[in-house]
Amino acid sequence: MFGQRIKIFTLLGFEVRADLSWIVLAVLVTWSLARGVFPDYFENLPERTYWFMGAAGALGLFLSIIFHELSHSLIARKFGIPMKGITLFIFGGVAEMTEEAPDAKAEFWMALVGPASSLFLSAIFFVISRYGEGAGWSLPVVGVLFYLAWINVALAVFNLIPAFPLDGGRLLRAVLWGARENIQWATRVTSRLGSGFGILLIALGLYSVIQGQFIGGIWWFLIGMFVRSAAQTSYQQLLTRKALEGERVSRFMVTDPVTVPPGISLQQLVDHYIYRHHFKMYPIVEEGRLLGYVTVRQLKEVPHDRWDRVTVGEVAMPLLPEMTIPSDTDALRALSVMNRTGSSRLMVVEGDRLVGIIALKDLLQFLSLKLSLEETKQPAARSRDVP
């Protein structure tokens, strides 16, 4: 979901990062406030004042989003859910969990605290704005405070819509999960609602464009696309977690992987290994010890006329942590590493020894088979719920 991210600061042990797409949102929000919202509500102010108000309003909005996501993170920490941090991106912000909530109760409170925090902030900004108005504060300051009070109410209301993965969808999932003690069924129901809500937003965006509201229409269209994609992805991720739950890397690894010695030339690597086995990565092993690895990409960086003079050992890549994994690691962790690094093969190690190779295609094949078999069980499971 995210591209390159920049760390902004650390708050209460959580890293707050900004995806590069967030810059687009920051510019768009500042521009829309300075050119549209504030001039409509507060007329006849200097142009630079509107830009000041727009920048201040945008900053307050992003701090409000961080506060909202921080509340999720604190409750998640209380229930023992590992958190990777908070990331701001083009559609707002997200508290990144590495695991699902352990039970429906944790899910409920973690989802509820988000909208509650936004309403709490709204009340604070409203009280301060009314105080400032009575104390004679300048109109731009009071206007920004009132905007922040209103926008936090809007954030709370929008997030309470019962469409996964919005907070309201998570609340509904928690209720359904608790009622039937079946997180997969609860996620399937709320994800479909989320997907439907996304389609509704897309339709709203298209209608707005037709009506001449181009910027607003495009924005609703993009949000709808994101919500629909996030809802579908969330359900698929849950299915993946359930399918790989308790499975170890050792179950899927190839125990007799193709390896290459460090002393052969790149030409020999091509002729005797790449053209024969068709892999893009080969572990380099000597006397049983794993020394590194070589990839087709490295081969391309060496001129063709030098392949017969350059050895594999000379272009070997060092053993980076993201390319190796212990055999007793959870298979879901291996899949996560592959997804993050873009590598389709990981070397399974015990100390400095290579014990196997785990490939993405083997994990996906297992997932496909298991999910297919699980689908055949669902009708029988549903029939047991009928009195």
Side-chain angles (χ1 to χ4, degrees):
M1 182 167 65
F2 302 119
Q4 186 176 351
R5 290 178 285 185
I6 303 170
K7 179 180 176 181
I8 305 176
F9 54 82
T10 299
L11 182 63
L12 300 180
F14 300 105
E15 278 194 3
V16 179
R17 298 177 291 265
D19 184 80
L20 291 182
S21 65
W22 171 75
I23 298 174
V24 178
L25 179 62
V27 172
L28 182 61
V29 170
T30 302
W31 177 81
S32 63
L33 291 177
R35 301 293 294 176
V37 175
F38 289 131
D40 286 346
Y41 284 92
F42 308 99
E43 298 178 352
N44 302 320
L45 294 177
E47 184 76 13
R48 64 180 180 179
T49 300
Y50 289 131
W51 283 105
F52 161 76
M53 294 174 71
L59 178 61
L61 171 61
F62 294 128
L63 291 177
S64 298
I65 291 173
I66 290 172
F67 186 79
H68 179 109
E69 300 302 335
L70 179 64
S71 67
H72 286 311
S73 300
L74 290 172
I75 297 299
R77 176 191 283 173
K78 179 180 178 181
F79 283 100
I81 305 171
M83 301 294 296
K84 292 197 295 184
I86 298 168
T87 297
L88 297 173
F89 68 120
I90 192 169
F91 296 112
V94 62
E96 298 180 74
M97 298 186 299
T98 57
E99 298 177 8
E100 289 286 350
D103 52 44
K105 178 183 177 181
E107 172 89 344
F108 181 86
W109 287 111
M110 190 170 62
L112 181 63
V113 74
S117 68
S118 293
L119 292 175
F120 173 74
L121 272 184
S122 176
I124 289 178
F125 284 125
F126 180 75
V127 169
I128 296 176
S129 68
R130 292 304 298 269
Y131 172 81
E133 188 177 18
W137 291 2
S138 66
L139 181 61
V141 173
V142 173
V144 170
L145 289 171
F146 184 77
Y147 161 76
L148 292 175
W150 172 84
I151 198 64
N152 273 283
V153 170
L155 284 173
V157 172
F158 182 79
N159 275 284
L160 281 172
I161 294 172
F164 198 82
L166 299 179
D167 293 336
R170 291 187 176 276
L171 284 170
L172 177 60
R173 183 174 78 157
V175 172
L176 297 177
W177 181 3
R180 292 187 56 171
E181 299 183 356
N182 187 332
I183 186 176
Q184 185 169 325
W185 171 77
T187 305
R188 184 169 67 249
V189 171
T190 51
S191 292
R192 287 176 178 173
L193 289 174
S195 182
F197 180 62
I199 293 173
L200 180 63
L201 291 179
I202 292 171
L204 175 62
L206 293 174
Y207 177 77
S208 298
V209 170
I210 294 172
Q211 293 297 309
Q213 301 173 7
F214 184 77
I215 298 297
I218 292 297
W219 192 240
W220 284 119
F221 180 86
L222 291 176
I223 292 176
M225 291 285 289
F226 168 74
V227 170
R228 185 169 185 269
S229 174
Q232 294 173 336
T233 301
S234 297
Y235 183 54
Q236 291 301 320
Q237 287 176 342
L238 176 68
L239 293 179
T240 299
R241 287 192 180 98
K242 288 296 182 182
L244 292 179
E245 196 171 40
E247 302 290 353
R248 300 296 174 186
V249 164
S250 55
R251 173 172 180 174
F252 305 98
M253 70 181 186
V254 176
T255 55
D256 56 343
V258 177
T259 64
V260 299
I264 66 171
S265 69
L266 296 184
Q267 188 63 57
Q268 290 174 308
L269 172 67
V270 172
D271 294 337
H272 302 301
Y273 291 90
I274 295 178
Y275 287 162
R276 178 179 297 180
H277 301 288
H278 313 143
F279 299 138
K280 294 184 178 180
M281 185 275 289
Y282 295 85
I284 302 173
V285 176
E286 186 176 43
E287 297 181 356
R289 292 179 59 247
L290 179 61
L291 304 180
Y293 65 97
V294 62
T295 67
V296 173
R297 178 180 299 177
Q298 294 165 257
L299 189 68
K300 292 179 179 179
E301 295 175 356
V302 180
H304 191 280
D305 58 4
R306 296 186 58 214
W307 284 4
D308 59 345
R309 300 193 303 273
V310 178
T311 66
V312 166
E314 291 178 278
V315 299
M317 290 288 289
L319 293 175
L320 302 175
E322 58 265 25
M323 290 300 296
T324 61
I325 197 164
S327 59
D328 61 348
T329 305
D330 192 284
L332 189 60
R333 168 66 178 165
L335 190 61
S336 175
V337 171
M338 291 177 181
N339 182 58
R340 188 179 72 250
T341 62
S343 175
S344 60
R345 304 178 82 218
L346 297 178
M347 294 173 284
V348 185
V349 297
E350 290 181 1
D352 63 351
R353 302 282 172 171
L354 178 72
V355 296
I357 289 284
I358 182 169
L360 177 61
K361 66 179 181 63
D362 295 327
L363 287 175
L364 295 180
Q365 184 177 22
F366 172 81
L367 279 172
S368 177
L369 288 171
K370 188 164 185 178
L371 293 177
S372 177
L373 290 174
E374 288 296 326
E375 286 179 359
T376 64
K377 297 179 182 180
Q378 289 180 10
R382 283 195 293 267
S383 66
R384 288 194 296 270
D385 295 327
V386 178

